[in-house]
Amino acid sequence: MAHRLGRNQYGKAETRVVRIVRDSDRHDIRDLNVSTSLRGDFADAHIRGDQAQVLPTDTQKNTAFAYAKLHGVDSIESYAIALGQRLLEACPAATSAQVSVEEYAWDRIGDHSFVRRGGGVRTAVVTSGRGRRHVLSGVKDLVLLNSTDSEFKGFLTDEFTTLPETDDRILATSLVATWRHTGADSRTDVDWNASYDAAVATLLGAFAGTYSRALQETLFAMGDALLEAQPELAEVRLSAPNRHHHLVDFSGFRVDGLTNDGEVFVATDRPYGLIEAEVTRDGAPPAGDAWLAVPGFC
């Protein structure tokens, strides 16, 4: 019985392209998830294993990065049009190129600091005992990014250390912060909404306003600022995965004059460093079993 090859396509899915525009001290960010696919006469690749007409998916990925610099990202539509046209030029066997782009929007909180649009997820855990109540307020999935003013150097090394030192990097995280109120068992006049809004504003301000020599330093600065701003809080716990952004290496691209001067990055979500810390007010009443219901860092 004869069989024939039906419709087929191939490409590179979900290339995380982050473009930082550094034309001035006030940076801009375009954060993209790019998928490309080519359709056409690729029967030889499927039936005979002949790759002569196949543009590698790795090349498609590299082109997505390069065009973020060469074409720019004024809009995801114009970027996708330019990228698709380039892929057709590079792969004569393709009859069509499909480029799908998702853009993650960010709101500015400083000249080079941003929070993912939509903010985080508000959380609350209340533990009520007989004669005692604990209230934990918080936020999770608060995605933050500084495009500069972050370094990481002078760290301990051994024979397995390959991480290079850097004095200028992207610092990004998806923050989980939880803070414990004091006197919650007796107070009835707490404006919980105002307290939450002020707490998030304080955390954002500290993140944007702290020159970071490590994510640990940033976390302590955020917790310290929150306790300073709200005397009724006893402690704050912070958990921050380090969302790594790696500078894309353009040195292997055969394009004259194409350099990557801290402008195009690949965002990765695993593995990641997980930095966690607790900042506690001196003399604060004990938490009791307030934290037992809170998963994760304790």
Side-chain angles (χ1 to χ4, degrees):
M1 179 181 294
H3 302 91
R4 64 181 180 84
L5 177 68
R7 291 180 298 178
N8 62 88
Q9 64 184 41
Y10 78 100
K12 183 69 83 174
E14 299 195 61
T15 300
R16 291 285 285 104
V17 179
V18 177
R19 172 71 157 98
I20 303 295
V21 180
R22 299 175 179 267
D23 295 342
S24 67
D25 291 339
R26 188 175 175 86
H27 296 175
D28 289 302
I29 182 173
R30 304 303 293 264
D31 186 357
L32 312 179
N33 190 28
V34 181
S35 295
T36 61
S37 62
L38 295 175
R39 302 166 183 168
D41 183 9
F42 301 112
D44 285 350
H46 287 273
I47 297 171
R48 301 182 183 85
D50 183 350
Q51 307 299 315
Q53 299 300 318
V54 172
L55 185 71
T57 64
D58 190 67
T59 302
Q60 296 180 42
K61 174 202 70 178
N62 289 343
T63 308
F65 287 127
Y67 264 57
K69 173 70 181 289
L70 290 170
H71 181 271
V73 191
D74 289 335
S75 70
I76 61 174
E77 289 84 0
S78 64
Y79 167 78
I81 289 169
L83 178 56
Q85 185 60 42
R86 166 61 189 180
L87 294 177
L88 284 177
E89 293 170 358
C91 186
T95 56
S96 67
Q98 185 171 87
V99 179
S100 300
V101 183
E102 301 172 341
E103 181 170 15
Y104 306 108
W106 295 79
D107 291 321
R108 184 182 300 280
I109 56 175
D111 283 345
H112 49 259
S113 302
F114 306 88
V115 58
R116 177 79 64 83
R117 187 165 299 167
V121 177
R122 183 174 174 176
T123 65
V125 176
V126 177
T127 304
S128 297
R130 300 190 182 278
R132 188 70 177 167
R133 181 189 301 124
H134 295 285
V135 176
L136 304 177
S137 300
V139 63
K140 67 178 183 179
D141 301 333
L142 187 65
V143 182
L144 306 171
L145 183 147
N146 277 335
S147 56
T148 189
D149 279 359
S150 175
E151 63 182 56
F152 192 60
K153 59 187 180 182
F155 45 81
L156 185 66
T157 64
D158 66 8
E159 61 269 34
F160 301 116
T161 302
T162 60
L163 182 70
E165 294 188 343
T166 179
D167 55 10
D168 188 12
R169 65 171 183 170
I170 285 181
L171 179 68
T173 187
S174 179
L175 182 73
V176 179
T178 308
W179 47 94
R180 179 166 63 91
H181 300 263
T182 59
D185 52 334
S186 59
R187 295 183 61 192
T188 60
D189 61 342
V190 179
D191 187 337
W192 301 109
N193 293 328
S195 175
Y196 172 81
D197 290 343
V200 172
T202 298
L203 293 172
L204 295 180
F207 179 83
T210 299
Y211 183 93
S212 179
R213 287 165 291 199
L215 184 51
Q216 288 91 332
E217 182 177 28
T218 300
L219 285 191
F220 182 80
M222 295 170 79
D224 184 58
L226 183 53
L227 294 184
E228 184 69 24
Q230 297 201 33
E232 66 277 12
L233 301 182
E235 62 185 311
V236 55
R237 296 187 179 186
L238 304 114
S239 180
N242 200 332
R243 289 197 164 193
H244 298 293
H245 289 66
H246 301 294
L247 192 69
V248 178
D249 183 6
F250 285 177
S251 63
F253 297 175
R254 295 185 294 275
V255 179
D256 290 341
L258 180 61
T259 60
N260 189 1
D261 303 314
E263 296 164 294
V264 182
F265 297 82
V266 55
T268 61
D269 63 356
R270 63 194 64 182
Y272 53 84
L274 181 60
I275 314 301
E276 299 175 300
E278 174 185 89
V279 183
T280 303
R281 187 181 305 279
D282 287 341
D289 59 357
W291 292 98
L292 295 180
V294 180
F297 172 57
C298 346

